[in-house]
Amino acid sequence: MKSISSLIYSALVVLVLATSCDKSDPVTKEKIIINNNANSLSNRITSKNAGLLNFHLPSSSSMKFRSGTSAESVILTSSDKNFALALVSEISSPEFQGQKLRSTHVAVQGTFAYVSYNTEGDKYLGGIDIIDISDINNPKLVVSAQLQDVDVNAIYVDGNQLLIAGAADRDVYTDLPTSAFSSFLPLNNGLIGSDYNFNSIQGPSAMDIIAGTQGANYVVSGGASGVLAKLNKQNGNVEISINIPDLRSVKENGTKVVALSGTGLLKVYNQSLVHEKDITVQPNTAESKRTMDLQQNIAIVPQGKAGFGIYNIVSGSLIKQHDIPTYSGNDSNLDPEDVVVNAVSVNNDKLFTANGGAGVSIYNYSNQSGAANLLGTASFNGLDLTSSNFVVSRDNYVFVASGRGGLKILKMIDLTPKVPTCNGNYPNYTGNDSWFNINSNEVRSFSGVRSFQGINIGGSLTWCGTLSVLSGDLNVNSNGTLNVYGTLAASKNMNVNSNTNLYGASVVEGNINLNSNGLLKINGSLAQGKSSGNTTTFHVNGKLEIDGEVIVYGDLNINSSGVVEFKNTSSKLIVYGRFTNNNGKVLNGQIQKI
């Protein structure tokens, strides 16, 4: 291996680019530069805006959440009190040849996330990032590949291959019959290899590519001369090509292949590309990116300014049309023309939409009926004035390709009680929703879903269900006891001076002050604070017992009287901000600093 600068390690890989539409000689170019230097790549990853997208006083129909260095950095508007979201990290777009690239697509497979890039304007310049997400709380950029004279518009992982759709500069590749191409890079343990098979596709640019389940792959190209093409899975050669203008996206469900045309048609074929039907949908703006999803026989179709539509591809009927949710961010930073649905994606019972300058929206989704109910909308406009081009989710994480803003990684926090096991049967609380006071020597137990302005506990309170604190602090005073079975959501500070036991999922927006006589037991998960703007702090002067996962997005201070005890080897305490241990004790485990 060649010896190169310690600042940036790169390998220039010679790629053989072979066209497949004809039998002409292959085109050979030195076209991919791979940087895998950990030090230089780590500079593109930041957690400076990490934290809960914090909720504020609800309006008539929603709560607003914010995170970041300014009040408008990241905003989440949610109508569901059992839904919370955290920004985990950001990976900035690469800069090649003085150009800042735009992220276009994300593919997630195993412990890696792959991000594709192209360049705005007439220049052809693309890239592929490979991110190690084996520790999703601390992702690592392990490879950044520069593809000169090529735009990469979409990617897809198919076993040990990374499929690519894009456009090549024919002023450089003079032997190519068209600019549109499909390609694949071999993967070895998740990392790209050095071979690059380059297949020409009719049209100016290939827009989307997928791996089929029945022995073939499919790619679509845009423009008036666009095509839907069936590709040989082994060599990528075009086996069938059908002319369809202005194609944007392609999906298949094992029996049907569906292609989206910007002219306002959803084209349905069988696996052999025999045409079955056309479904009329909303037309899309010329040359815009649109990525649909297909769940069984239900197609979720992005439709630009018209939002998105949900269609049954068997009956051809529209199930429901959804408008773009009202944007509640800093309107002075937003181009109204950029508020469009660019892409949709489904992960189990959640539906995600990439809404351009208005960020992403998350819906509860039913695969059976196709019904979608809005959970919340997160905007990144105040961070970097970028556009959400693509979104995909795996497990409880969300990956957003945000153009020149690179990649955003979010974590969904489900606060819905999972049929909490309570040590008794308790009545529903029927009082008002102002300050909730439990006086000394009082012992009270309730169940249900309630929100209070603040909570002050001098006696004993056991709550089974969901307990929310909207505007004031949550105080557990000396000789007080709090037991929550289910969900706790506190928008301000939590002050613990005595026994507090949290069973289930909890979020605390503000500071946590665990004072010298306090005992805080976490049985489940706790997410707290943020690391930017008004940074929050978790002060440990008493004892913190963890049976589960605690994530501190702000600072953690363990003082001399403080104790952190891990109850088992699977328990975690993760800190994104500053961690200071002033002679406190950490028992049976280690604290992970991001």
Side-chain angles (χ1 to χ4, degrees):
M1 186 175 294
K2 294 181 180 179
S3 175
I4 44 184
S5 169
S6 61
L7 292 176
I8 296 181
Y9 170 87
S10 64
L12 189 62
V13 184
V14 179
L15 303 178
V16 178
L17 311 178
T19 66
S20 67
C21 291
D22 57 20
K23 300 299 182 181
S24 60
D25 292 335
V27 180
T28 301
K29 290 281 184 181
E30 296 179 344
K31 298 313 297 174
I32 184 167
I33 300 173
I34 298 177
N35 178 12
N36 59 7
N37 179 268
N39 290 332
S40 66
L41 294 177
S42 66
N43 294 327
R44 287 177 48 204
I45 301 179
T46 180
S47 297
K48 68 178 182 180
N49 295 308
L52 292 167
L53 306 189
N54 304 321
F55 57 85
H56 289 249
L57 284 173
S59 64
S60 58
S61 62
S62 65
M63 293 189 295
K64 291 183 179 180
F65 297 66
R66 288 182 172 85
S67 178
T69 55
S70 73
E72 301 292 344
S73 286
V74 184
I75 294 180
L76 171 69
T77 303
S78 175
S79 58
D80 191 323
K81 295 175 183 177
N82 290 324
F83 170 75
L85 201 64
L87 179 63
V88 175
S89 62
E90 303 165 76
I91 293 91
S92 63
S93 291
E95 291 191 21
F96 298 146
Q97 302 176 16
Q99 297 277 340
K100 194 172 186 66
L101 273 57
R102 300 184 306 178
S103 58
T104 57
H105 207 98
V106 184
V108 183
Q109 182 69 33
T111 58
F112 292 100
Y114 304 83
V115 186
S116 62
Y117 296 89
N118 67 15
T119 302
E120 189 173 8
D122 295 333
K123 188 176 182 61
Y124 292 83
L125 184 60
I128 297 171
D129 282 343
I130 303 178
I131 301 157
D132 182 350
I133 56 171
S134 55
D135 181 359
I136 191 65
N137 292 297
N138 190 23
K140 299 183 184 303
L141 180 58
V142 293
V143 168
S144 184
Q146 174 185 345
L147 284 76
Q148 299 183 83
D149 308 309
V150 164
D151 276 343
V152 183
N153 299 324
I155 52 179
Y156 193 101
V157 179
D158 181 23
N160 61 355
Q161 293 181 338
L162 181 65
L163 308 181
I164 298 173
D169 188 348
R170 293 182 63 203
D171 290 338
V172 177
Y173 294 98
T174 56
D175 292 340
L176 296 182
T178 62
S179 291
F181 75 89
S182 67
S183 171
F184 62 85
L185 284 168
L187 297 174
N188 183 13
N189 294 323
L191 303 180
I192 56 176
S194 59
D195 293 328
Y196 191 165
N197 296 316
F198 190 0
N199 298 41
S200 286
I201 304 295
Q202 183 175 314
S205 183
M207 303 302 295
D208 196 11
I209 191 167
I210 60 168
T213 58
Q214 303 298 321
N217 298 329
Y218 300 92
V219 64
V220 293
S221 60
S225 58
V227 298
L228 165 62
K230 181 178 180 180
L231 308 177
N232 183 284
K233 222 176 207 343
Q234 278 67 48
N235 56 29
N237 289 342
V238 176
E239 295 181 342
I240 302 174
S241 182
I242 301 173
N243 289 90
I244 308 170
D246 199 20
L247 288 175
R248 312 295 180 86
S249 181
V250 61
K251 292 290 179 286
E252 66 101 53
N253 64 3
T255 60
K256 310 293 183 187
V257 178
V258 182
L260 172 64
S261 171
T263 62
L265 286 177
L266 204 58
K267 312 279 290 187
V268 183
Y269 298 83
N270 67 14
Q271 291 282 322
S272 299
L273 294 192
V274 175
H275 182 254
E276 294 189 352
K277 67 165 59 72
D278 288 345
I279 300 172
T280 301
V281 301
Q282 295 284 338
N284 274 297
T285 306
E287 299 182 359
S288 56
K289 182 177 176 66
R290 301 287 185 262
T291 307
M292 66 177 172
D293 204 351
L294 183 64
Q295 297 292 312
Q296 300 174 7
N297 290 320
I298 297 176
I300 304 98
V301 181
Q303 299 182 145
K305 285 185 171 297
F308 67 96
I310 301 178
Y311 297 84
N312 186 305
I313 64 169
V314 175
S315 66
S317 61
L318 172 66
I319 296 173
K320 189 172 182 180
Q321 179 72 29
H322 291 264
D323 295 332
I324 302 174
T326 302
Y327 176 75
S328 59
N330 188 342
D331 291 331
S332 64
N333 288 335
L334 180 66
D335 181 359
E337 294 301 311
D338 194 31
V339 180
V340 292
V341 177
N342 290 319
V344 296
S345 177
V346 171
N347 179 18
N348 294 322
D349 63 347
K350 296 292 185 292
L351 166 65
F352 305 84
T353 66
N355 302 336
V360 298
S361 294
I362 305 176
Y363 298 76
N364 274 327
Y365 174 76
S366 170
N367 260 331
Q368 300 301 315
S369 66
N373 298 303
L374 181 65
L375 273 175
T377 296
S379 168
F380 314 105
N381 200 40
L383 282 178
D384 42 30
L385 302 183
T386 55
S387 177
S388 296
N389 294 329
F390 182 85
V391 60
V392 68
S393 174
R394 291 294 180 270
D395 299 323
N396 61 331
Y397 289 89
V398 185
F399 302 83
V400 183
S402 57
R404 288 186 294 273
L407 180 71
K408 308 285 191 289
I409 301 178
L410 309 174
K411 181 179 182 179
M412 292 184 293
I413 303 172
D414 185 4
L415 299 175
T416 305
K418 303 296 190 295
V419 189
T421 302
C422 304
N423 58 347
N425 296 317
Y426 309 122
N428 285 323
Y429 179 80
T430 59
N432 62 48
D433 292 338
S434 60
W435 272 86
F436 186 30
N437 291 296
I438 303 295
N439 297 319
S440 299
N441 300 319
E442 234 186 331
V443 178
R444 307 295 299 274
S445 299
F446 298 103
S447 64
V449 178
R450 294 303 293 263
S451 299
F452 299 97
Q453 298 305 310
I455 296 178
N456 194 61
I457 300 170
S460 176
L461 172 65
T462 297
W463 194 280
C464 181
T466 298
L467 183 63
S468 298
V469 188
L470 297 179
S471 59
D473 288 352
L474 168 58
N475 301 310
V476 182
N477 299 323
S478 299
N479 300 317
T481 299
L482 171 64
N483 302 300
V484 177
Y485 297 87
T487 298
L488 173 69
S491 65
K492 296 296 183 181
N493 302 322
M494 183 167 74
N495 302 304
V496 179
N497 295 283
S498 190
N499 295 335
T500 300
N501 305 295
L502 305 180
Y503 300 87
S506 301
V507 293
V508 177
E509 172 183 341
N511 300 321
I512 295 180
N513 298 304
L514 176 54
N515 296 319
S516 57
N517 292 320
L519 172 62
L520 176 58
K521 294 183 178 181
I522 305 300
N523 295 271
S525 66
L526 168 66
Q528 181 258 338
K530 59 183 179 180
S531 61
S532 60
N534 296 321
T535 302
T536 58
T537 304
F538 193 147
H539 297 282
V540 179
N541 292 288
K543 187 175 185 181
L544 172 63
E545 294 184 3
I546 303 173
D547 185 356
E549 180 182 80
V550 174
I551 298 181
V552 179
Y553 289 106
D555 298 341
L556 174 66
N557 293 333
I558 305 175
N559 295 317
S560 58
S561 60
V563 177
V564 174
E565 181 179 356
F566 297 92
K567 302 304 290 184
N568 48 58
T569 56
S570 62
S571 295
K572 298 178 181 180
L573 174 54
I574 300 168
V575 182
Y576 280 81
R578 293 170 295 182
F579 169 43
T580 305
N581 189 346
N582 295 312
N583 297 317
K585 296 179 180 179
V586 179
L587 307 177
N588 305 326
Q590 293 184 334
I591 296 170
Q592 181 183 358
K593 173 68 177 69
I594 301 299

mmCIF file with all atom_site columns, all heavy atoms in Angstrom, residues 543-561:
data_model
loop_
_atom_site.group_PDB
_atom_site.id
_atom_site.type_symbol
_atom_site.label_atom_id
_atom_site.label_alt_id
_atom_site.label_comp_id
_atom_site.label_asym_id
_atom_site.label_entity_id
_atom_site.label_seq_id
_atom_site.pdbx_PDB_ins_code
_atom_site.Cartn_x
_atom_site.Cartn_y
_atom_site.Cartn_z
_atom_site.occupancy
_atom_site.B_iso_or_equiv
_atom_site.pdbx_formal_charge
_atom_site.auth_seq_id
_atom_site.auth_comp_id
_atom_site.auth_asym_id
_atom_site.auth_atom_id
_atom_site.pdbx_PDB_model_num
ATOM 1   N N   . LYS A 1 543 ? -27.688 8.883  45.082 1.00 0.00 ? 543 LYS A N   1
ATOM 2   C CA  . LYS A 1 543 ? -27.393 7.602  44.432 1.00 0.00 ? 543 LYS A CA  1
ATOM 3   C C   . LYS A 1 543 ? -28.296 7.394  43.223 1.00 0.00 ? 543 LYS A C   1
ATOM 4   O O   . LYS A 1 543 ? -29.516 7.543  43.309 1.00 0.00 ? 543 LYS A O   1
ATOM 5   C CB  . LYS A 1 543 ? -27.571 6.440  45.411 1.00 0.00 ? 543 LYS A CB  1
ATOM 6   C CG  . LYS A 1 543 ? -27.120 5.092  44.829 1.00 0.00 ? 543 LYS A CG  1
ATOM 7   C CD  . LYS A 1 543 ? -27.181 3.963  45.846 1.00 0.00 ? 543 LYS A CD  1
ATOM 8   C CE  . LYS A 1 543 ? -26.620 2.680  45.259 1.00 0.00 ? 543 LYS A CE  1
ATOM 9   N NZ  . LYS A 1 543 ? -26.691 1.544  46.217 1.00 0.00 ? 543 LYS A NZ  1
ATOM 10  N N   . LEU A 1 544 ? -27.673 7.041  42.105 1.00 0.00 ? 544 LEU A N   1
ATOM 11  C CA  . LEU A 1 544 ? -28.371 6.713  40.872 1.00 0.00 ? 544 LEU A CA  1
ATOM 12  C C   . LEU A 1 544 ? -28.175 5.233  40.587 1.00 0.00 ? 544 LEU A C   1
ATOM 13  O O   . LEU A 1 544 ? -27.043 4.772  40.408 1.00 0.00 ? 544 LEU A O   1
ATOM 14  C CB  . LEU A 1 544 ? -27.825 7.557  39.711 1.00 0.00 ? 544 LEU A CB  1
ATOM 15  C CG  . LEU A 1 544 ? -28.309 7.199  38.301 1.00 0.00 ? 544 LEU A CG  1
ATOM 16  C CD1 . LEU A 1 544 ? -29.821 7.412  38.172 1.00 0.00 ? 544 LEU A CD1 1
ATOM 17  C CD2 . LEU A 1 544 ? -27.559 8.018  37.244 1.00 0.00 ? 544 LEU A CD2 1
ATOM 18  N N   . GLU A 1 545 ? -29.277 4.489  40.528 1.00 0.00 ? 545 GLU A N   1
ATOM 19  C CA  . GLU A 1 545 ? -29.225 3.066  40.208 1.00 0.00 ? 545 GLU A CA  1
ATOM 20  C C   . GLU A 1 545 ? -29.839 2.858  38.825 1.00 0.00 ? 545 GLU A C   1
ATOM 21  O O   . GLU A 1 545 ? -30.950 3.315  38.557 1.00 0.00 ? 545 GLU A O   1
ATOM 22  C CB  . GLU A 1 545 ? -29.972 2.231  41.242 1.00 0.00 ? 545 GLU A CB  1
ATOM 23  C CG  . GLU A 1 545 ? -29.331 2.245  42.627 1.00 0.00 ? 545 GLU A CG  1
ATOM 24  C CD  . GLU A 1 545 ? -30.052 1.321  43.605 1.00 0.00 ? 545 GLU A CD  1
ATOM 25  O OE1 . GLU A 1 545 ? -31.015 0.630  43.186 1.00 0.00 ? 545 GLU A OE1 1
ATOM 26  O OE2 . GLU A 1 545 ? -29.662 1.288  44.784 1.00 0.00 ? 545 GLU A OE2 1
ATOM 27  N N   . ILE A 1 546 ? -29.110 2.152  37.953 1.00 0.00 ? 546 ILE A N   1
ATOM 28  C CA  . ILE A 1 546 ? -29.540 1.995  36.561 1.00 0.00 ? 546 ILE A CA  1
ATOM 29  C C   . ILE A 1 546 ? -29.736 0.526  36.237 1.00 0.00 ? 546 ILE A C   1
ATOM 30  O O   . ILE A 1 546 ? -28.789 -0.276 36.302 1.00 0.00 ? 546 ILE A O   1
ATOM 31  C CB  . ILE A 1 546 ? -28.506 2.607  35.594 1.00 0.00 ? 546 ILE A CB  1
ATOM 32  C CG1 . ILE A 1 546 ? -28.267 4.082  35.913 1.00 0.00 ? 546 ILE A CG1 1
ATOM 33  C CG2 . ILE A 1 546 ? -28.977 2.440  34.146 1.00 0.00 ? 546 ILE A CG2 1
ATOM 34  C CD1 . ILE A 1 546 ? -27.136 4.693  35.110 1.00 0.00 ? 546 ILE A CD1 1
ATOM 35  N N   . ASP A 1 547 ? -30.960 0.187  35.884 1.00 0.00 ? 547 ASP A N   1
ATOM 36  C CA  . ASP A 1 547 ? -31.287 -1.126 35.342 1.00 0.00 ? 547 ASP A CA  1
ATOM 37  C C   . ASP A 1 547 ? -31.943 -0.866 33.987 1.00 0.00 ? 547 ASP A C   1
ATOM 38  O O   . ASP A 1 547 ? -33.161 -0.839 33.864 1.00 0.00 ? 547 ASP A O   1
ATOM 39  C CB  . ASP A 1 547 ? -32.224 -1.883 36.274 1.00 0.00 ? 547 ASP A CB  1
ATOM 40  C CG  . ASP A 1 547 ? -32.495 -3.308 35.807 1.00 0.00 ? 547 ASP A CG  1
ATOM 41  O OD1 . ASP A 1 547 ? -32.005 -3.678 34.718 1.00 0.00 ? 547 ASP A OD1 1
ATOM 42  O OD2 . ASP A 1 547 ? -33.207 -4.042 36.514 1.00 0.00 ? 547 ASP A OD2 1
ATOM 43  N N   . GLY A 1 548 ? -31.104 -0.614 32.964 1.00 0.00 ? 548 GLY A N   1
ATOM 44  C CA  . GLY A 1 548 ? -31.604 -0.213 31.654 1.00 0.00 ? 548 GLY A CA  1
ATOM 45  C C   . GLY A 1 548 ? -30.639 0.759  31.009 1.00 0.00 ? 548 GLY A C   1
ATOM 46  O O   . GLY A 1 548 ? -29.417 0.572  31.067 1.00 0.00 ? 548 GLY A O   1
ATOM 47  N N   . GLU A 1 549 ? -31.157 1.842  30.418 1.00 0.00 ? 549 GLU A N   1
ATOM 48  C CA  . GLU A 1 549 ? -30.323 2.797  29.691 1.00 0.00 ? 549 GLU A CA  1
ATOM 49  C C   . GLU A 1 549 ? -30.667 4.225  30.094 1.00 0.00 ? 549 GLU A C   1
ATOM 50  O O   . GLU A 1 549 ? -31.826 4.625  30.064 1.00 0.00 ? 549 GLU A O   1
ATOM 51  C CB  . GLU A 1 549 ? -30.518 2.628  28.179 1.00 0.00 ? 549 GLU A CB  1
ATOM 52  C CG  . GLU A 1 549 ? -29.673 3.584  27.342 1.00 0.00 ? 549 GLU A CG  1
ATOM 53  C CD  . GLU A 1 549 ? -29.915 3.422  25.853 1.00 0.00 ? 549 GLU A CD  1
ATOM 54  O OE1 . GLU A 1 549 ? -30.929 3.954  25.357 1.00 0.00 ? 549 GLU A OE1 1
ATOM 55  O OE2 . GLU A 1 549 ? -29.097 2.758  25.196 1.00 0.00 ? 549 GLU A OE2 1
ATOM 56  N N   . VAL A 1 550 ? -29.642 4.997  30.436 1.00 0.00 ? 550 VAL A N   1
ATOM 57  C CA  . VAL A 1 550 ? -29.781 6.421  30.719 1.00 0.00 ? 550 VAL A CA  1
ATOM 58  C C   . VAL A 1 550 ? -28.914 7.177  29.718 1.00 0.00 ? 550 VAL A C   1
ATOM 59  O O   . VAL A 1 550 ? -27.715 6.908  29.602 1.00 0.00 ? 550 VAL A O   1
ATOM 60  C CB  . VAL A 1 550 ? -29.354 6.760  32.162 1.00 0.00 ? 550 VAL A CB  1
ATOM 61  C CG1 . VAL A 1 550 ? -29.377 8.277  32.369 1.00 0.00 ? 550 VAL A CG1 1
ATOM 62  C CG2 . VAL A 1 550 ? -30.260 6.068  33.167 1.00 0.00 ? 550 VAL A CG2 1
ATOM 63  N N   . ILE A 1 551 ? -29.520 8.109  28.977 1.00 0.00 ? 551 ILE A N   1
ATOM 64  C CA  . ILE A 1 551 ? -28.774 8.942  28.038 1.00 0.00 ? 551 ILE A CA  1
ATOM 65  C C   . ILE A 1 551 ? -28.858 10.388 28.506 1.00 0.00 ? 551 ILE A C   1
ATOM 66  O O   . ILE A 1 551 ? -29.946 10.952 28.632 1.00 0.00 ? 551 ILE A O   1
ATOM 67  C CB  . ILE A 1 551 ? -29.318 8.816  26.612 1.00 0.00 ? 551 ILE A CB  1
ATOM 68  C CG1 . ILE A 1 551 ? -29.170 7.372  26.116 1.00 0.00 ? 551 ILE A CG1 1
ATOM 69  C CG2 . ILE A 1 551 ? -28.580 9.763  25.675 1.00 0.00 ? 551 ILE A CG2 1
ATOM 70  C CD1 . ILE A 1 551 ? -29.656 7.146  24.712 1.00 0.00 ? 551 ILE A CD1 1
ATOM 71  N N   . VAL A 1 552 ? -27.692 10.983 28.766 1.00 0.00 ? 552 VAL A N   1
ATOM 72  C CA  . VAL A 1 552 ? -27.587 12.367 29.208 1.00 0.00 ? 552 VAL A CA  1
ATOM 73  C C   . VAL A 1 552 ? -27.051 13.171 28.028 1.00 0.00 ? 552 VAL A C   1
ATOM 74  O O   . VAL A 1 552 ? -25.881 13.048 27.661 1.00 0.00 ? 552 VAL A O   1
ATOM 75  C CB  . VAL A 1 552 ? -26.653 12.494 30.427 1.00 0.00 ? 552 VAL A CB  1
ATOM 76  C CG1 . VAL A 1 552 ? -26.529 13.950 30.855 1.00 0.00 ? 552 VAL A CG1 1
ATOM 77  C CG2 . VAL A 1 552 ? -27.167 11.640 31.588 1.00 0.00 ? 552 VAL A CG2 1
ATOM 78  N N   . TYR A 1 553 ? -27.913 13.986 27.406 1.00 0.00 ? 553 TYR A N   1
ATOM 79  C CA  . TYR A 1 553 ? -27.487 14.766 26.258 1.00 0.00 ? 553 TYR A CA  1
ATOM 80  C C   . TYR A 1 553 ? -26.741 16.029 26.664 1.00 0.00 ? 553 TYR A C   1
ATOM 81  O O   . TYR A 1 553 ? -26.050 16.634 25.848 1.00 0.00 ? 553 TYR A O   1
ATOM 82  C CB  . TYR A 1 553 ? -28.694 15.123 25.387 1.00 0.00 ? 553 TYR A CB  1
ATOM 83  C CG  . TYR A 1 553 ? -29.268 13.927 24.658 1.00 0.00 ? 553 TYR A CG  1
ATOM 84  C CD1 . TYR A 1 553 ? -30.461 13.350 25.067 1.00 0.00 ? 553 TYR A CD1 1
ATOM 85  C CD2 . TYR A 1 553 ? -28.608 13.380 23.568 1.00 0.00 ? 553 TYR A CD2 1
ATOM 86  C CE1 . TYR A 1 553 ? -30.986 12.253 24.405 1.00 0.00 ? 553 TYR A CE1 1
ATOM 87  C CE2 . TYR A 1 553 ? -29.118 12.286 22.900 1.00 0.00 ? 553 TYR A CE2 1
ATOM 88  C CZ  . TYR A 1 553 ? -30.312 11.723 23.319 1.00 0.00 ? 553 TYR A CZ  1
ATOM 89  O OH  . TYR A 1 553 ? -30.830 10.634 22.662 1.00 0.00 ? 553 TYR A OH  1
ATOM 90  N N   . GLY A 1 554 ? -26.859 16.434 27.909 1.00 0.00 ? 554 GLY A N   1
ATOM 91  C CA  . GLY A 1 554 ? -26.124 17.574 28.424 1.00 0.00 ? 554 GLY A CA  1
ATOM 92  C C   . GLY A 1 554 ? -24.909 17.127 29.208 1.00 0.00 ? 554 GLY A C   1
ATOM 93  O O   . GLY A 1 554 ? -24.242 16.151 28.862 1.00 0.00 ? 554 GLY A O   1
ATOM 94  N N   . ASP A 1 555 ? -24.605 17.832 30.312 1.00 0.00 ? 555 ASP A N   1
ATOM 95  C CA  . ASP A 1 555 ? -23.447 17.538 31.145 1.00 0.00 ? 555 ASP A CA  1
ATOM 96  C C   . ASP A 1 555 ? -23.832 16.621 32.302 1.00 0.00 ? 555 ASP A C   1
ATOM 97  O O   . ASP A 1 555 ? -24.979 16.644 32.776 1.00 0.00 ? 555 ASP A O   1
ATOM 98  C CB  . ASP A 1 555 ? -22.852 18.825 31.711 1.00 0.00 ? 555 ASP A CB  1
ATOM 99  C CG  . ASP A 1 555 ? -22.339 19.760 30.624 1.00 0.00 ? 555 ASP A CG  1
ATOM 100 O OD1 . ASP A 1 555 ? -22.118 19.285 29.492 1.00 0.00 ? 555 ASP A OD1 1
ATOM 101 O OD2 . ASP A 1 555 ? -22.166 20.963 30.911 1.00 0.00 ? 555 ASP A OD2 1
ATOM 102 N N   . LEU A 1 556 ? -22.859 15.853 32.767 1.00 0.00 ? 556 LEU A N   1
ATOM 103 C CA  . LEU A 1 556 ? -23.038 14.998 33.942 1.00 0.00 ? 556 LEU A CA  1
ATOM 104 C C   . LEU A 1 556 ? -21.966 15.333 34.961 1.00 0.00 ? 556 LEU A C   1
ATOM 105 O O   . LEU A 1 556 ? -20.776 15.280 34.657 1.00 0.00 ? 556 LEU A O   1
ATOM 106 C CB  . LEU A 1 556 ? -22.952 13.514 33.558 1.00 0.00 ? 556 LEU A CB  1
ATOM 107 C CG  . LEU A 1 556 ? -22.974 12.517 34.731 1.00 0.00 ? 556 LEU A CG  1
ATOM 108 C CD1 . LEU A 1 556 ? -24.317 12.544 35.451 1.00 0.00 ? 556 LEU A CD1 1
ATOM 109 C CD2 . LEU A 1 556 ? -22.643 11.108 34.258 1.00 0.00 ? 556 LEU A CD2 1
ATOM 110 N N   . ASN A 1 557 ? -22.405 15.679 36.177 1.00 0.00 ? 557 ASN A N   1
ATOM 111 C CA  . ASN A 1 557 ? -21.486 15.929 37.289 1.00 0.00 ? 557 ASN A CA  1
ATOM 112 C C   . ASN A 1 557 ? -21.765 14.937 38.409 1.00 0.00 ? 557 ASN A C   1
ATOM 113 O O   . ASN A 1 557 ? -22.886 14.889 38.928 1.00 0.00 ? 557 ASN A O   1
ATOM 114 C CB  . ASN A 1 557 ? -21.650 17.347 37.836 1.00 0.00 ? 557 ASN A CB  1
ATOM 115 C CG  . ASN A 1 557 ? -21.226 18.415 36.849 1.00 0.00 ? 557 ASN A CG  1
ATOM 116 O OD1 . ASN A 1 557 ? -20.386 18.177 35.993 1.00 0.00 ? 557 ASN A OD1 1
ATOM 117 N ND2 . ASN A 1 557 ? -21.808 19.600 36.978 1.00 0.00 ? 557 ASN A ND2 1
ATOM 118 N N   . ILE A 1 558 ? -20.744 14.160 38.775 1.00 0.00 ? 558 ILE A N   1
ATOM 119 C CA  . ILE A 1 558 ? -20.854 13.269 39.930 1.00 0.00 ? 558 ILE A CA  1
ATOM 120 C C   . ILE A 1 558 ? -19.975 13.848 41.031 1.00 0.00 ? 558 ILE A C   1
ATOM 121 O O   . ILE A 1 558 ? -18.748 13.897 40.892 1.00 0.00 ? 558 ILE A O   1
ATOM 122 C CB  . ILE A 1 558 ? -20.415 11.834 39.594 1.00 0.00 ? 558 ILE A CB  1
ATOM 123 C CG1 . ILE A 1 558 ? -21.198 11.288 38.404 1.00 0.00 ? 558 ILE A CG1 1
ATOM 124 C CG2 . ILE A 1 558 ? -20.602 10.920 40.803 1.00 0.00 ? 558 ILE A CG2 1
ATOM 125 C CD1 . ILE A 1 558 ? -20.733 9.912  37.943 1.00 0.00 ? 558 ILE A CD1 1
ATOM 126 N N   . ASN A 1 559 ? -20.592 14.308 42.101 1.00 0.00 ? 559 ASN A N   1
ATOM 127 C CA  . ASN A 1 559 ? -19.838 14.932 43.179 1.00 0.00 ? 559 ASN A CA  1
ATOM 128 C C   . ASN A 1 559 ? -19.428 13.913 44.238 1.00 0.00 ? 559 ASN A C   1
ATOM 129 O O   . ASN A 1 559 ? -19.759 12.731 44.139 1.00 0.00 ? 559 ASN A O   1
ATOM 130 C CB  . ASN A 1 559 ? -20.652 16.079 43.771 1.00 0.00 ? 559 ASN A CB  1
ATOM 131 C CG  . ASN A 1 559 ? -20.843 17.189 42.738 1.00 0.00 ? 559 ASN A CG  1
ATOM 132 O OD1 . ASN A 1 559 ? -19.915 17.555 42.014 1.00 0.00 ? 559 ASN A OD1 1
ATOM 133 N ND2 . ASN A 1 559 ? -22.072 17.696 42.626 1.00 0.00 ? 559 ASN A ND2 1
ATOM 134 N N   . SER A 1 560 ? -18.706 14.351 45.242 1.00 0.00 ? 560 SER A N   1
ATOM 135 C CA  . SER A 1 560 ? -18.043 13.435 46.181 1.00 0.00 ? 560 SER A CA  1
ATOM 136 C C   . SER A 1 560 ? -19.013 12.511 46.900 1.00 0.00 ? 560 SER A C   1
ATOM 137 O O   . SER A 1 560 ? -18.668 11.378 47.241 1.00 0.00 ? 560 SER A O   1
ATOM 138 C CB  . SER A 1 560 ? -17.217 14.230 47.195 1.00 0.00 ? 560 SER A CB  1
ATOM 139 O OG  . SER A 1 560 ? -18.053 15.143 47.904 1.00 0.00 ? 560 SER A OG  1
ATOM 140 N N   . SER A 1 561 ? -20.246 12.962 47.131 1.00 0.00 ? 561 SER A N   1
ATOM 141 C CA  . SER A 1 561 ? -21.222 12.107 47.803 1.00 0.00 ? 561 SER A CA  1
ATOM 142 C C   . SER A 1 561 ? -22.050 11.288 46.824 1.00 0.00 ? 561 SER A C   1
ATOM 143 O O   . SER A 1 561 ? -22.907 10.505 47.222 1.00 0.00 ? 561 SER A O   1
ATOM 144 C CB  . SER A 1 561 ? -22.167 12.969 48.654 1.00 0.00 ? 561 SER A CB  1
ATOM 145 O OG  . SER A 1 561 ? -22.865 13.902 47.841 1.00 0.00 ? 561 SER A OG  1
#
